[in-house]
Amino acid sequence: MIKALFFDFYGTIVHEDGVVIDEITTIISNTGNGTNKLTIGSYWWKIFQELYMNSFGNRFKTQKELEIESLEITLKKFESNASANELSQKMFKHWRKPPIFEDAANFLDSCNIPYYIVSNIDTDDIIAAIHYHGLTPIKIFTSEDAKSYKPRTELFEMALKETNLDPQEVVHIGDSLNSDIKGASNLGINTIWMNRNNKEIPNGVVAVVSFNDILNTPYFSSIKN
């Protein structure tokens, strides 16, 4: 029986920072060597991934630290004289007041199942975003709390321990096949992939395109019957 829902936040409940990233990569292109902004974005993401996958335990760094560091490396790569600190502030502003998906807002407003947020983000920023939208999760678990980022299991382990729930009593819902679906599945947690762009679904993955479909998945068949 499912006793609680774990939700990723950015890209699942609220919009990712794609518009801001587009703005930043355009600035880097215009102030640097003119490299295509898509190439810049791909390089920046690659550097950021390398940094956060090596950020855990005593080597943990916050998202803000990693964003600034990855931006500094990217600016140097593409010979831009823009300021990493100034550019990153655009992202930090978005993190605290991100637009919410309407289907998510409606679902969470009427949700009768206890839900928690499990997110790769800095604690202060997600608390600000949750208050901004008036959301009421039972508790928030962040990478900053666990000193580890999804898909590593420490964040999920912390959430299970503090909620006193077994993996099969929870469904984790997120938009990343790697961070959310793979990370949670590695602990035996049930998962639902929030596939808003209707991409091809890998074998064995339970997916929905909207919050409206969550309760129609097999995990909640007892509720429907």
Side-chain angles (χ1 to χ4, degrees), residues 91-193:
M91 299 187 70
F92 303 160
K93 182 178 179 180
H94 171 90
W95 292 352
R96 297 178 75 85
K97 292 185 177 181
I100 194 168
F101 289 108
E102 183 177 356
D103 61 316
N106 292 337
F107 180 92
L108 296 176
D109 184 55
S110 61
C111 184
N112 294 320
I113 305 171
Y115 75 91
Y116 302 80
I117 304 297
V118 181
S119 176
N120 275 352
I121 197 65
D122 299 346
T123 304
D124 286 347
D125 290 320
I126 197 168
I127 288 175
I130 286 170
H131 287 170
Y132 177 67
H133 288 294
L135 303 178
T136 56
I138 303 299
K139 193 167 183 178
I140 304 160
F141 301 101
T142 72
S143 50
E144 191 173 7
D145 296 327
K147 298 294 185 288
S148 174
Y149 291 97
K150 301 179 290 185
R152 291 181 61 90
T153 59
E154 289 91 345
L155 180 51
F156 294 110
E157 289 171 341
M158 169 183 282
L160 289 173
K161 181 178 180 180
E162 294 200 19
T163 57
N164 196 31
L165 292 166
D166 293 328
Q168 290 305 308
E169 295 177 322
V170 174
V171 178
H172 177 71
I173 300 142
D175 70 305
S176 171
L177 281 172
N178 186 49
S179 293
D180 295 304
I181 306 309
K182 179 181 177 181
S185 295
N186 283 340
L187 283 178
I189 296 173
N190 303 302
T191 61
I192 296 174
W193 180 33

Side-chain angles (χ1 to χ4, degrees), residues 26-41:
T26 298
I27 292 171
I28 295 173
S29 177
N30 291 340
T31 58
N33 58 19
T35 300
N36 181 282
K37 65 181 181 181
L38 294 178
T39 301
I40 295 170

Side-chain angles (χ1 to χ4, degrees), residues 9-30:
F9 195 66
Y10 298 92
T12 301
I13 293 175
V14 299
H15 289 258
E16 285 279 16
D17 45 16
V19 173
V20 180
I21 289 173
D22 183 75
E23 179 184 354
I24 291 173
T25 53
T26 298
I27 292 171
I28 295 173
S29 177
N30 291 340

